[in-house]
Structure formats: C-alpha cells, structure tokens
Amino acid sequence: MSGVPGAGKSTVAAYVGRVYGAVVVDYDVIKSAVLDAGFGLGESTKAAYEVMYAQSRHVLRQGLDVVMDSPCFWPRILDEGMAIAGECGATYRYIECQLADLTVLDERLRQRVRLRTHRRGVGHPPVDVGDELEDGEAFYRGAIDRVRRPAEGYLQLNMERPLSEVLPEVDAYLKS
C-alpha cells in the first residue's frame, strides 16, 4: 500500500487483510510504538522501517500473505518490498491510494482514530513534530511527488470515490 497520509491506505489494507487473510504490517503502528519506547524522531523512522521489513519477511516465510502499509516515499521501501517478495517466493503487488482533494483529506485526518505518527490535519503535523502550523498544500503536493511507484503493473486508486466503487478494483487487481 502506498499514498499520502489520509488517502485511505490503511482502510484498503484492512480490507485486503480481512478478505484475503493477509497480515497487515502497518508502518504507523510500528513507528508509534518505537516513539513510545523513547526513540527520537530520526531514529524512530529508520527503526520502524527495519521492523516493517523484518516482520514482513517473517510473515511471508510462514506462508502467509502480507500487506505493507506505508506512504512509500523513498526508493528503498519499494526496492525492499520487491526484494522481500522475491526472497520468499511471493507475488509482489503494489496499490497506491490517491486523493488530491485537500478538503476531503483534511476531514479524514481530523476524524480518524489517530496514532501518534498521524497528521492531525492537512496543515497540522503529527504531535511529535510540534504544534506549529505548516503549509499543508505545499506538504501534500510535495508528498504526492515523493511517492515511489514501480515502473509498471500497479494499481492506482482514486480514493475520492466511495469504497463500494474502489474495492472491486482492488479485487480485480489482486485476482489477476
């Protein structure tokens, strides 16, 4: 799963986990726990990704499917996901949730059950970053450009549509 914060990654990941019996390994859950353990922001990011990779390998080696739920802002995340799948003989699938409407994004961010690492709104960073408002539009436009994608063979979902329209696309992609 990939996409900007609030785009619907965790919602789609939960669906895939429930319907297909996959284990969802959520970067935000891991990073929140690492922060709770007393790590600083910089080292918590690196630690959380290393745990996500290790846990994904562990789950795949048990013969279970896994969903890595992360924004996928750096090339290593994409490369590591493909490498892990290859090492474990799994089929790699990539789904990106896209949502460009900042009003809808802001509403979702404000209404969701929030983890420590979640943004509090389009212009409100996660609590550990501080309370200073930022230019949310600039952040999201930059974040959309930072999402790393495979060269081909992936699914982009327009998350401005209802889930009842989006989830059949997920099913068709995963069954192809």
Side-chain angles (χ1 to χ4, degrees):
M1 297 303 312
S2 76
V4 299
K9 296 180 301 294
S10 295
T11 300
V12 174
Y15 169 80
V16 171
R18 187 174 55 257
V19 171
Y20 294 91
V23 175
V24 178
V25 179
D26 188 321
Y27 167 78
D28 282 313
V29 170
I30 297 167
K31 184 171 179 181
S32 292
V34 171
L35 286 166
D36 288 346
F39 287 78
L41 281 175
E43 59 246 352
S44 68
T45 298
K46 182 174 176 30
Y49 276 112
E50 293 306 320
V51 170
M52 184 177 74
Y53 303 142
Q55 188 65 43
S56 296
R57 273 189 185 90
H58 180 67
V59 169
L60 284 171
R61 286 180 179 147
Q62 293 176 59
L64 302 170
D65 292 330
V66 66
V67 178
M68 294 171 61
D69 182 352
S70 155
C72 202
F73 287 151
W74 294 281
R76 180 167 179 226
I77 300 164
L78 180 63
D79 296 341
E80 197 72 23
M82 289 189 283
I84 291 167
E87 289 168 22
C88 298
T91 301
Y92 181 82
R93 301 293 179 128
Y94 181 100
I95 299 173
E96 179 187 358
C97 295
Q98 295 184 328
L99 181 58
D101 186 328
L102 295 183
T103 302
V104 173
L105 269 168
D106 192 60
E107 182 179 321
R108 287 185 183 176
L109 292 169
R110 291 175 186 276
Q111 291 181 358
R112 72 179 172 184
V113 175
R114 192 173 306 117
L115 295 173
R116 186 170 174 174
T117 57
H118 286 160
R119 295 183 65 81
R120 296 169 283 175
V122 167
H124 295 82
V127 67
D128 288 287
V129 175
D131 290 325
E132 188 172 321
L133 295 178
E134 61 187 16
D135 182 346
E137 183 172 350
F139 171 83
Y140 272 92
R141 298 298 168 230
I144 289 168
D145 292 340
R146 287 179 41 214
V147 172
R148 299 293 169 234
R149 301 163 184 92
E152 58 186 30
Y154 63 97
L155 176 64
Q156 287 182 322
L157 297 172
N158 175 354
M159 297 301 289
E160 292 181 29
R161 297 175 301 145
L163 280 175
S164 62
E165 293 178 20
V166 171
L167 296 179
E169 289 181 36
V170 173
D171 291 331
Y173 174 69
L174 293 178
K175 291 175 183 176
S176 66

